[in-house]
Amino acid sequence: MSTGELIVSIIVFMIAIALIFLAIFHFGERGHLFNNAYIYASKTQRETMNKKPYYRQSAVVFCLLSIIFIIIGLAVVLQNSRLFFLEIPFFIIVIVYAIISTLKINKQNED
């Protein structure tokens, strides 16, 4: 393994660890809420907003993203380019989950 690959793998694994910590905090509904619905809401909307579904949505997305970064790191460390194909289903799952959960949250807020 070259020095460049070692540096890339360390950076990728550090990103994965950071995403895992963000997911843990979001599952516990602690910390800043990294969700567009919350970020773009006005101050009065934020005070009355039920943040629980947004924390859960963000936590699941961060978990899935951490899995993607772990796969990337393993592909670099093991020098196996076929591992990169494992990322594709997780990318699709993240996108589909984000869309479906956003629609579900919006539907619940309308009721």
Side-chain angles (χ1 to χ4, degrees):
M1 179 184 306
S2 70
T3 306
E5 291 171 336
L6 181 64
I7 292 170
V8 168
S9 64
I10 290 171
I11 292 171
V12 169
F13 283 128
M14 286 174 49
I15 292 170
I17 290 169
L19 288 169
I20 289 170
F21 279 117
L22 277 173
I24 290 169
F25 282 121
H26 276 73
F27 275 124
E29 297 180 19
R30 296 185 315 245
H32 182 72
L33 179 56
F34 293 105
N35 192 298
N36 283 343
Y38 180 77
I39 292 170
Y40 292 123
S42 67
K43 190 171 184 170
T44 56
Q45 288 175 326
R46 287 181 187 178
E47 293 171 358
T48 60
M49 179 183 283
N50 179 13
K51 297 177 193 105
K52 187 172 184 164
Y54 298 110
Y55 269 116
R56 184 179 181 342
Q57 179 187 37
S58 296
V60 170
V61 169
F62 287 141
C63 279
L64 292 170
L65 289 176
S66 70
I67 292 170
I68 291 170
F69 277 95
I70 289 170
I71 292 170
I72 293 170
L74 288 175
V76 172
V77 169
L78 300 175
Q79 297 178 349
N80 186 347
S81 60
R82 286 182 274 163
L83 282 177
F84 286 114
F85 291 113
L86 287 176
E87 299 169 29
I88 296 169
F90 287 103
F91 277 123
I92 293 169
I93 291 169
V94 167
I95 292 168
V96 169
Y97 174 77
I99 292 170
I100 290 174
S101 65
T102 300
L103 293 173
K104 184 177 175 184
I105 291 169
N106 288 339
K107 185 178 178 183
Q108 288 175 350
N109 288 341
E110 289 175 2
D111 293 338

Coordinates of all heavy atoms in Angstrom, one line a residue, residues 9-62:
S9 N -7.2 6.2 2.9 CA -8.0 5.2 3.7 C -8.2 5.8 5.2 O -9.3 5.7 5.7 CB -7.3 3.9 3.8 OG -6.0 4.0 4.4
I10 N -7.2 6.5 5.7 CA -7.3 7.0 7.0 C -8.4 8.1 7.0 O -9.3 8.2 7.9 CB -6.0 7.6 7.6 CG1 -5.0 6.4 7.9 CG2 -6.2 8.5 8.8 CD1 -3.6 6.9 8.2
I11 N -8.4 9.0 6.0 CA -9.3 10.1 5.9 C -10.7 9.5 5.7 O -11.7 10.0 6.4 CB -9.0 11.0 4.7 CG1 -7.7 11.8 5.1 CG2 -10.1 12.0 4.4 CD1 -7.1 12.6 3.9
V12 N -10.9 8.5 4.9 CA -12.2 7.9 4.6 C -12.7 7.2 5.9 O -13.9 7.4 6.2 CB -12.1 6.9 3.5 CG1 -13.4 6.0 3.4 CG2 -11.9 7.6 2.2
F13 N -11.9 6.5 6.6 CA -12.4 5.9 7.9 C -12.7 7.0 9.0 O -13.6 6.8 9.7 CB -11.3 4.9 8.4 CG -11.3 3.6 7.7 CD1 -10.1 3.1 7.2 CD2 -12.5 2.9 7.5 CE1 -10.1 1.9 6.5 CE2 -12.5 1.7 6.8 CZ -11.3 1.2 6.3
M14 N -12.0 8.1 9.0 CA -12.3 9.1 9.9 C -13.7 9.8 9.6 O -14.4 10.1 10.5 CB -11.2 10.2 9.9 CG -9.9 9.8 10.6 SD -8.5 10.9 10.5 CE -9.2 12.5 10.9
I15 N -14.0 9.9 8.3 CA -15.3 10.4 7.9 C -16.4 9.4 8.3 O -17.4 9.8 8.8 CB -15.3 10.7 6.4 CG1 -14.4 11.8 6.0 CG2 -16.8 10.9 5.9 CD1 -14.2 12.0 4.5
A16 N -16.1 8.1 8.2 CA -17.1 7.1 8.6 C -17.3 7.1 10.1 O -18.5 7.1 10.5 CB -16.6 5.7 8.2
I17 N -16.3 7.3 10.8 CA -16.4 7.4 12.3 C -17.2 8.7 12.7 O -18.1 8.6 13.6 CB -15.0 7.4 13.0 CG1 -14.4 6.0 12.8 CG2 -15.1 7.8 14.5 CD1 -13.0 5.9 13.2
A18 N -16.9 9.8 12.0 CA -17.7 11.0 12.3 C -19.1 10.8 12.0 O -20.0 11.3 12.8 CB -17.1 12.2 11.5
L19 N -19.4 10.2 10.9 CA -20.8 9.9 10.5 C -21.5 9.0 11.5 O -22.7 9.2 11.8 CB -20.9 9.3 9.1 CG -20.6 10.3 8.0 CD1 -20.5 9.6 6.7 CD2 -21.7 11.4 7.9
I20 N -20.8 8.0 12.1 CA -21.4 7.1 13.1 C -21.7 7.9 14.3 O -22.8 7.7 14.9 CB -20.4 6.0 13.4 CG1 -20.4 5.0 12.2 CG2 -20.8 5.2 14.6 CD1 -19.3 4.0 12.3
F21 N -20.8 8.8 14.7 CA -21.1 9.6 15.9 C -22.3 10.5 15.7 O -23.1 10.7 16.6 CB -19.8 10.4 16.3 CG -18.8 9.7 17.1 CD1 -17.6 9.5 16.6 CD2 -19.2 9.1 18.4 CE1 -16.6 8.7 17.4 CE2 -18.3 8.4 19.1 CZ -17.0 8.2 18.6
L22 N -22.4 11.1 14.5 CA -23.5 12.0 14.2 C -24.8 11.1 14.3 O -25.8 11.6 14.8 CB -23.4 12.6 12.8 CG -22.6 13.9 12.7 CD1 -22.4 14.3 11.3 CD2 -23.2 15.0 13.5
A23 N -24.8 9.9 13.7 CA -26.0 9.1 13.8 C -26.3 8.7 15.2 O -27.5 8.8 15.6 CB -25.7 7.8 13.0
I24 N -25.4 8.4 16.0 CA -25.7 8.1 17.4 C -26.3 9.3 18.1 O -27.3 9.2 18.9 CB -24.4 7.7 18.2 CG1 -23.9 6.3 17.7 CG2 -24.6 7.6 19.7 CD1 -22.5 5.9 18.1
F25 N -25.7 10.5 17.9 CA -26.3 11.7 18.5 C -27.7 12.0 18.0 O -28.6 12.4 18.8 CB -25.5 12.9 18.3 CG -24.3 13.0 19.2 CD1 -23.0 13.1 18.7 CD2 -24.4 13.0 20.6 CE1 -21.9 13.1 19.5 CE2 -23.3 13.1 21.4 CZ -22.0 13.1 20.9
H26 N -28.0 11.7 16.7 CA -29.3 12.0 16.2 C -30.3 10.9 16.7 O -31.5 11.3 16.8 CB -29.2 12.0 14.7 CG -28.8 13.4 14.1 ND1 -27.6 13.9 14.2 CD2 -29.5 14.3 13.5 CE1 -27.5 15.1 13.7 NE2 -28.7 15.4 13.3
F27 N -29.9 9.7 16.8 CA -30.8 8.7 17.4 C -31.2 9.1 18.8 O -32.3 8.8 19.2 CB -30.2 7.3 17.3 CG -30.4 6.5 16.0 CD1 -29.3 6.1 15.3 CD2 -31.6 6.3 15.5 CE1 -29.4 5.4 14.2 CE2 -31.8 5.7 14.3 CZ -30.7 5.2 13.6
G28 N -30.3 9.7 19.5 CA -30.6 10.1 20.9 C -31.2 11.5 20.9 O -31.5 12.0 22.0
E29 N -31.5 12.1 19.7 CA -32.1 13.4 19.6 C -31.4 14.5 20.4 O -31.9 15.3 21.1 CB -33.6 13.4 20.1 CG -34.5 12.4 19.2 CD -35.9 12.4 19.7 OE1 -36.3 13.3 20.4 OE2 -36.6 11.4 19.3
R30 N -30.0 14.4 20.2 CA -29.2 15.4 20.8 C -28.4 16.1 19.7 O -28.1 15.6 18.7 CB -28.2 14.7 21.8 CG -28.9 14.1 23.0 CD -27.9 13.6 24.0 NE -26.8 12.8 23.3 CZ -26.6 11.5 23.5 NH1 -27.4 10.8 24.3 NH2 -25.6 10.9 22.8
G31 N -27.9 17.3 20.0 CA -27.0 18.0 19.1 C -27.8 18.8 18.1 O -29.1 18.8 18.0
H32 N -27.1 19.4 17.2 CA -27.7 20.2 16.1 C -28.4 19.3 15.1 O -27.8 18.3 14.7 CB -26.7 21.1 15.4 CG -27.3 22.0 14.3 ND1 -28.0 23.0 14.6 CD2 -27.2 21.9 13.0 CE1 -28.4 23.6 13.5 NE2 -27.9 22.9 12.5
L33 N -29.6 19.6 14.7 CA -30.3 18.8 13.7 C -29.9 19.2 12.3 O -30.1 20.3 11.8 CB -31.8 19.0 13.9 CG -32.7 18.2 13.0 CD1 -32.5 16.7 13.1 CD2 -34.2 18.5 13.3
F34 N -29.2 18.2 11.7 CA -28.7 18.4 10.3 C -29.8 17.9 9.3 O -29.7 16.8 8.8 CB -27.4 17.7 10.1 CG -26.3 18.3 10.8 CD1 -25.8 17.7 12.0 CD2 -25.7 19.5 10.5 CE1 -24.7 18.2 12.7 CE2 -24.7 20.1 11.2 CZ -24.2 19.4 12.3
N35 N -30.8 18.7 9.1 CA -31.9 18.3 8.2 C -32.4 19.6 7.5 O -32.6 20.6 8.2 CB -33.0 17.6 9.0 CG -34.0 17.0 8.2 OD1 -34.7 17.6 7.4 ND2 -34.2 15.7 8.3
N36 N -32.6 19.5 6.2 CA -33.0 20.7 5.5 C -34.3 21.3 6.0 O -34.5 22.5 6.0 CB -33.1 20.4 4.0 CG -31.8 20.3 3.3 OD1 -30.8 20.7 3.9 ND2 -31.7 19.7 2.2
A37 N -35.2 20.4 6.4 CA -36.5 20.9 6.8 C -36.3 21.8 8.1 O -37.0 22.8 8.2 CB -37.5 19.8 7.2
Y38 N -35.4 21.4 8.9 CA -35.2 22.2 10.2 C -34.3 23.4 9.9 O -34.6 24.5 10.3 CB -34.5 21.3 11.2 CG -34.1 22.0 12.5 CD1 -35.1 22.3 13.4 CD2 -32.9 22.5 12.8 CE1 -34.9 22.9 14.6 CE2 -32.6 23.1 13.9 CZ -33.6 23.4 14.8 OH -33.3 24.0 16.0
I39 N -33.3 23.2 9.0 CA -32.4 24.3 8.7 C -33.1 25.5 8.0 O -32.8 26.7 8.3 CB -31.2 23.8 7.9 CG1 -30.3 22.9 8.7 CG2 -30.3 25.0 7.4 CD1 -29.3 22.1 8.0
Y40 N -34.0 25.2 7.1 CA -34.6 26.2 6.3 C -35.9 26.7 7.0 O -36.5 27.6 6.5 CB -34.9 25.7 4.9 CG -33.7 25.5 4.1 CD1 -33.4 24.3 3.5 CD2 -32.8 26.6 3.9 CE1 -32.2 24.1 2.8 CE2 -31.6 26.4 3.2 CZ -31.3 25.2 2.6 OH -30.2 25.0 1.9
A41 N -36.3 26.1 8.1 CA -37.5 26.6 8.8 C -37.2 27.9 9.5 O -36.1 28.2 9.9 CB -38.0 25.5 9.8
S42 N -38.2 28.7 9.6 CA -38.1 30.0 10.4 C -37.9 29.7 11.9 O -38.2 28.6 12.3 CB -39.3 30.9 10.1 OG -40.4 30.3 10.7
K43 N -37.5 30.7 12.6 CA -37.3 30.5 14.0 C -38.6 30.1 14.8 O -38.6 29.2 15.6 CB -36.7 31.7 14.7 CG -36.3 31.5 16.1 CD -35.5 32.7 16.6 CE -35.0 32.5 18.0 NZ -34.1 33.5 18.4
T44 N -39.7 30.6 14.4 CA -41.0 30.3 15.0 C -41.4 28.9 14.6 O -42.0 28.2 15.4 CB -42.1 31.3 14.6 OG1 -42.2 31.3 13.2 CG2 -41.8 32.7 15.1
Q45 N -41.1 28.5 13.4 CA -41.5 27.1 13.0 C -40.6 26.1 13.7 O -41.1 25.0 14.1 CB -41.3 26.9 11.5 CG -42.3 27.6 10.6 CD -42.0 27.5 9.1 OE1 -40.8 27.5 8.8 NE2 -43.0 27.4 8.3
R46 N -39.4 26.4 13.9 CA -38.5 25.5 14.7 C -38.9 25.3 16.1 O -38.8 24.2 16.6 CB -37.0 26.1 14.7 CG -36.3 26.1 13.4 CD -34.9 26.6 13.6 NE -34.3 26.7 12.3 CZ -33.1 27.2 12.1 NH1 -32.4 27.7 13.1 NH2 -32.6 27.3 10.9
E47 N -39.5 26.3 16.7 CA -39.9 26.1 18.1 C -41.2 25.2 18.2 O -41.3 24.5 19.2 CB -40.3 27.5 18.7 CG -39.0 28.4 18.8 CD -39.3 29.8 19.2 OE1 -40.5 30.2 19.3 OE2 -38.4 30.6 19.4
T48 N -42.0 25.2 17.2 CA -43.2 24.4 17.3 C -43.1 23.1 16.5 O -44.0 22.3 16.6 CB -44.4 25.2 16.6 OG1 -44.1 25.5 15.3 CG2 -44.7 26.5 17.4
M49 N -42.0 22.9 15.9 CA -41.8 21.7 15.0 C -41.5 20.4 15.9 O -40.8 20.5 16.9 CB -40.6 22.0 14.1 CG -40.2 20.8 13.2 SD -38.7 21.2 12.3 CE -39.3 22.3 11.0
N50 N -42.1 19.3 15.5 CA -41.8 18.0 16.1 C -40.5 17.5 15.4 O -40.5 17.1 14.3 CB -43.0 17.1 15.8 CG -42.7 15.7 16.4 OD1 -41.8 15.5 17.2 ND2 -43.5 14.7 16.0
K51 N -39.5 17.6 16.1 CA -38.1 17.3 15.6 C -37.8 15.8 15.5 O -36.9 15.4 14.9 CB -37.1 18.0 16.4 CG -37.2 19.5 16.3 CD -36.1 20.1 17.2 CE -36.4 21.6 17.3 NZ -37.0 21.9 18.6
K52 N -38.6 15.0 16.2 CA -38.3 13.5 16.3 C -38.2 12.8 15.0 O -37.2 12.1 14.8 CB -39.3 12.8 17.2 CG -39.0 11.4 17.5 CD -39.9 10.8 18.5 CE -39.5 9.4 18.9 NZ -40.1 8.9 20.1
P53 N -39.1 13.0 14.1 CA -39.0 12.3 12.8 C -37.8 12.8 12.0 O -37.2 12.0 11.2 CB -40.3 12.6 12.0 CG -40.9 13.7 12.7 CD -40.4 13.7 14.1
Y54 N -37.4 14.1 12.1 CA -36.3 14.6 11.4 C -35.0 14.1 12.0 O -34.0 13.8 11.2 CB -36.3 16.1 11.4 CG -37.5 16.7 10.7 CD1 -38.5 17.3 11.5 CD2 -37.7 16.6 9.4 CE1 -39.7 17.8 10.8 CE2 -38.8 17.1 8.7 CZ -39.8 17.7 9.5 OH -40.9 18.2 8.9
Y55 N -34.9 14.0 13.3 CA -33.7 13.3 13.9 C -33.5 11.9 13.4 O -32.4 11.5 13.1 CB -33.8 13.4 15.4 CG -33.2 14.6 16.1 CD1 -34.1 15.5 16.8 CD2 -31.9 14.9 16.0 CE1 -33.5 16.6 17.4 CE2 -31.3 16.0 16.7 CZ -32.2 16.8 17.3 OH -31.6 17.9 18.0
R56 N -34.7 11.2 13.4 CA -34.6 9.8 13.0 C -34.2 9.7 11.5 O -33.3 8.8 11.2 CB -35.9 9.1 13.2 CG -35.9 7.6 12.9 CD -37.3 7.0 13.1 NE -37.5 5.6 12.9 CZ -36.9 4.7 12.2 NH1 -35.8 5.0 11.6 NH2 -37.3 3.5 12.1
Q57 N -34.7 10.5 10.7 CA -34.4 10.5 9.2 C -32.9 10.7 9.1 O -32.2 10.0 8.3 CB -35.2 11.5 8.5 CG -34.9 11.6 7.0 CD -35.6 12.7 6.3 OE1 -35.8 13.8 6.9 NE2 -36.1 12.5 5.1
S58 N -32.4 11.8 9.7 CA -31.0 12.1 9.6 C -30.1 11.0 10.1 O -29.1 10.7 9.6 CB -30.7 13.4 10.3 OG -31.4 14.5 9.7
A59 N -30.5 10.4 11.2 CA -29.7 9.3 11.8 C -29.6 8.1 10.9 O -28.5 7.6 10.7 CB -30.3 8.9 13.2
V60 N -30.7 7.7 10.3 CA -30.6 6.6 9.4 C -29.7 6.9 8.2 O -28.9 6.1 7.7 CB -32.1 6.2 8.9 CG1 -32.0 5.2 7.8 CG2 -32.8 5.7 10.1
V61 N -29.9 8.1 7.6 CA -29.1 8.5 6.5 C -27.6 8.6 6.9 O -26.7 8.1 6.1 CB -29.5 9.9 5.9 CG1 -28.5 10.5 4.9 CG2 -30.9 9.8 5.3
F62 N -27.3 9.1 8.0 CA -25.9 9.1 8.5 C -25.3 7.7 8.7 O -24.2 7.4 8.4 CB -25.7 9.9 9.8 CG -25.8 11.4 9.6 CD1 -26.5 12.2 10.5 CD2 -25.3 12.0 8.5 CE1 -26.6 13.5 10.3 CE2 -25.4 13.4 8.3 CZ -26.0 14.1 9.2

